[in-house]
Amino acid sequence: MTTFTLNGESFDFDGPDDTPLLWVLRDHAGLTGTKFGCGAGICGACNVHIDGRTRRACITPVSAVAGRTITTIEGLGAQQLHPVQQAWIEEDVSQCGYCQAGQIMNAAEWLERVPEPTDEDIERYQTALCRCGTYARIRKAIFRAAEIRRQGAVAVVEPEDPEAAS
Amino acid sequence: MNSLNRRRFLQAGATLAGGLALGVSLRGRTEDKSGSVGAPAGPHLAYLVRIEPDGRVIIGAPNPEMGQGVKTSLPMIIAEELDVNWDDVLVEQMPLGIKRDSEGNLSWLHVGQGAGGSTSVSEGWQPLREAGATARQLLLQAAADSWGVPIDSLSTERGTIVHSASGRRAGYGEFAAAASALPLPETPPTLKSSADFNIIGQPKPVVDALDIVTGKAEYGIDAALPGQVYASIERCPYRDGSVVSYDDKAARKVPGVIAIVPIEGPAPDEYFTVLAAGIAVVADSTWAALQGRAALKIEWDPGPHSKESTASLREQMVAAMRQPGQVVLDDGDVDAAWANAADQFEAEYFVPYVSHAPMETQCCVVHVREDGADVVAPTQSPSGASRIVNRLTGLDRLSINVHMTRLGGGFGRRLTVDYVAEATLVSMAVKRPVKLQWTREDDLQHDFYRPCGLHRLRASLDEQGAPTGWRHQLASPSKYYRRPNVKPEDMWKPELYTDDPPRRLLENVQRQYYSMASGVPRGSWRAPAHYANAFAVQSFIDELAHRHGHDPLEYQLALLGEPRELPYENHGGPVFDPGRLAGVLKLVAAKADWGEQLPASRGRGIAGHFTFGGYAAYVVDVTVDAGELRIDRVVGAIDCGLAVNPNHVIAQMESGVHDGISTALRLEITLEGGRIQQDNFHNYRMASMRDAPRVVETHIVDSPHPPSGVGEPPISPLAPALTNAIFAATGQRIRELPIADQLKG
Ligand code: FES
Ligand code: FES
């Protein structure tokens, strides 16, 4: 039995220890937003956050997450859309959309550490692959998400600024 | 109903809630239909237009959505003529709808529902507009009857019926029930003039955007039927190989494994039902199926193609091209053109086999029951899925339900339904719903690959360097391999398009084909042969221009000449207008400062191409520094006729840019000892954000022409624009794809 926190709630998995977290999420927890793309840690379609860091769920055995905290795409914006999700909608990034959960989990995490991203940062940290070729809009959406986050931050510091409230 | 003469036949009827539902069918008559599947029985998803008494407008998306945007653009066409607020419309994916008439002929219940050849928008354009307009007409008639006023005195305003004389207004929902009882108008209603469009031509976002970014959108991999089991198949790695023996003792011991099902391979020389022989492991979870599969011990007979390699195929091409090929086009007299030429030039170009590699690997859920079947699949060909289930089970076509999820990419891979066949066979064996899941290794090793090919182009030139004669020879394993009813002398047809330019631009044009033998299954890959032909032709034109010191743009414009309509009988016709191709080239050149001097190590290249009714061109800027290539900027232009949803036209151009870059940079499928050597993204390295240009711009030509498709035209000109830019930067001509490390010297 492996127990971990999944999108804020405790989850028990009663299967083989070597089951990749990806298939635990998809087949057992009913959370299908996390996708399978390569099963080899390359494409990032299966990106989730483990204790706040982006990890490839397809190569993470469930035993490795015992006692840890997992956030999936379903949990990211559960209360309210995350700025990255909002930016993805505003820039209309998705084509087939299959890779986008992984892209969003990817961006949402590193933007926390790099709040004012440059092109170089995007090329370095946004490693999830997109077969449809949405990279131009992913780039724009990351800049926009950074902007949304900044505005949010400004709103806290200077609540009277009318621009910041919008 | 007096509508036997109408080519398009509209069906109307009540929804369960008493609203109005309307479908449209290209053929057939309801009065003699003997049955159908995909029509509303319960939730009426199959209807194109549904208006509920509470005023909700639900529009069906008939075609598979794989990222090309038709789940948004086709309903936009209906909504325009229906005259509703786009923001109030709910879009639902329709299942496959087919019907049978009294003579037993099957036809579409509503509209054609495939996705291939960039035809969804162009073919749906007229019937979908008529569907929307007819629904509006019925609502107007119901209001006129109810208010006792002439129908001509009524108008509509985005979901509201207005009687301006009295100021009376009411929402569509109030008349939905009454409208559903009315006979169809006998003549098709008048359609809007394009000047009055307020939805068509406006940029609209993806209808599923919110579901996608929150992980709720349903793909094939997410589909589930109650009681399903999970299957994974170990397939023979050799083409047309077979299972000699297998030992499943260890596999059966894996906890969760339920059954082992051998799958027979395709019959040699017959078209593929499944792609390969294999052993399916059925289990109670995906992981158990994969673990069981890993524990199988299988001895393969490598079959007839075990000696084939990339090198042997290339040798076959080179040897064949020492002799004349099959002449498939012979305009004028190329021999005389060579004899009278002031100069001549010849060059060879090669494109490799590539895989579709959609981000979502093949998968589906199939349940074969005694009295019917359910299929939930990410497919570009729902009717193909229905046909294969019928063929394998003998079940009546009208008892086979086919539901389409969103597709995690298609690119032509999902025009074939081999994975549906596999799941069907396993479901027949285990008598339960079967969810089949391919791994990435499965997907790269078992595909209908885009054919490789060796192109040789030759031109005769006059004193100024202008072409006077043109020959294009191609040696390739044809996409028509094993297709039923294709004669050997017709194998060239999907590989060389006879009417492509420079036919009719030059007097003397010859095309020759050499059909190569290969055991590799082949299929349609985005824009099929246009990718390879555009690479060869647009590179060659650039070479000819540079040979005599001409500007490549001016040289190509001179070749294209004045705008005029030339016959074009290949797919995407019936006309090719060189003026429209010149138009996108000029537009993109102007937007990209073509002709500007660039610093050393930087270069700018241009290319354009006509694909399936659409014209696209790019200018690519590159920097090549010590063998390191950086694509700095891509400026694109497209003339796709009326842009129904400009947002998605731009998205498809961006997709063409990145897919074009990805395929040109590193992608190739190679063979050694009959086996495909690539098996995951570490050795089939698609473009990442690091390869993506920082600037991508798209310009849409404001065009008076009816809409063409936009899924495929954007890809073909990218690779030659890129390699022409590399030549401009370095003087090195790339004649082989992928570019890989050719620049490293
Ligand atoms: S599926 Fe996990 S990285 Fe590709
Ligand atoms: S949107 Fe299709 S793979 Fe990224």
Side-chain angles (χ1 to χ4, degrees), chain B residues 602-686:
Chain B
R602 287 188 55 201
R604 188 166 282 166
I606 190 166
H609 195 69
F610 170 67
T611 310
F612 300 164
Y615 302 79
Y618 294 107
V619 168
V620 174
D621 284 18
V622 300
T623 304
V624 185
D625 197 358
E628 287 296 329
L629 170 67
R630 171 82 226 168
I631 303 167
D632 301 313
R633 184 185 70 166
V634 178
V635 181
I638 182 163
D639 177 350
C640 55
L642 175 73
V644 171
N645 184 355
N647 178 40
H648 286 162
V649 174
I650 293 169
Q652 282 305 301
M653 285 290 281
E654 292 167 353
S655 173
V657 167
H658 293 96
D659 196 359
I661 288 172
S662 200
T663 314
L665 286 183
R666 289 185 293 267
L667 298 185
E668 69 179 318
I669 288 291
T670 56
L671 287 143
E672 195 55 57
R675 296 181 64 147
I676 305 272
Q677 293 178 289
Q678 289 68 33
D679 59 3
N680 209 319
F681 291 140
H682 65 291
N683 53 19
Y684 195 76
R685 293 174 56 218
M686 67 170 77

Side-chain angles (χ1 to χ4, degrees), chain B residues 11 133 153 185 196 278 369 398 427 493 512 623 654 690 733:
Chain B
Q11 314 159 298
S153 68
D196 297 330
R369 296 174 272 106
L398 301 187
S427 179
K493 285 189 172 164
Q512 296 181 8
T623 304
E654 292 167 353
R690 279 171 194 265
R733 177 61 63 182

Side-chain angles (χ1 to χ4, degrees), chain A residues 93-100 103 129-135 138, chain B residues 66-67 212 219 357-360 406-409 411 686:
Chain A
V93 172
S94 301
Q95 287 187 24
C96 85
Y98 190 82
C99 73
Q100 300 300 346
Q103 301 282 2
L129 297 176
C130 174
R131 170 69 178 85
C132 295
T134 59
Y135 295 123
I138 289 174
Chain B
M66 52 186 173
I212 292 170
Y219 294 84
M359 210 66 206
E360 177 188 40
R406 286 187 72 89
L407 283 64
F411 312 103
M686 67 170 77

Side-chain angles (χ1 to χ4, degrees), chain B residues 553 556-557 560 580-590 606-608 617:
Chain B
L553 171 66
Q556 179 149 205
L557 293 178
L560 291 170
R580 291 175 73 187
L581 186 51
V584 289
L585 285 163
K586 283 191 272 195
L587 176 60
V588 82
I606 190 166

Side-chain angles (χ1 to χ4, degrees), chain B residues 127-247:
Chain B
L128 297 181
R129 290 179 72 193
E130 284 183 15
T134 304
R136 175 177 170 274
Q137 176 87 1
L138 291 171
L139 291 161
L140 282 169
Q141 188 61 55
D145 295 348
S146 157
W147 292 345
V149 297
I151 188 168
D152 296 349
S153 68
L154 297 176
S155 61
T156 58
E157 274 174 24
R158 312 246 183 138
T160 302
I161 294 177
V162 181
H163 184 241
S164 48
S166 65
R168 211 164 166 182
R169 305 166 68 87
Y172 282 1
E174 281 192 33
F175 302 105
S180 71
L182 291 174
L184 282 171
E186 296 201 350
T187 51
T190 326
L191 301 178
K192 279 188 180 177
S193 112
S194 59
D196 297 330
F197 288 163
N198 57 55
I199 297 173
I200 291 170
Q202 299 302 311
K204 298 293 179 198
V206 173
V207 290
D208 289 339
L210 180 62
D211 282 351
I212 292 170
V213 304
T214 53
K216 292 191 189 77
E218 194 193 53
Y219 294 84
I221 194 175
D222 308 325
L225 289 173
Q228 72 183 17
V229 288
Y230 300 77
S232 178
I233 303 176
E234 182 73 15
R235 296 175 192 78
C236 183
Y238 303 93
R239 317 298 120 188
D240 294 321
S242 55
V243 177
V244 176
S245 64
Y246 68 97
D247 172 356

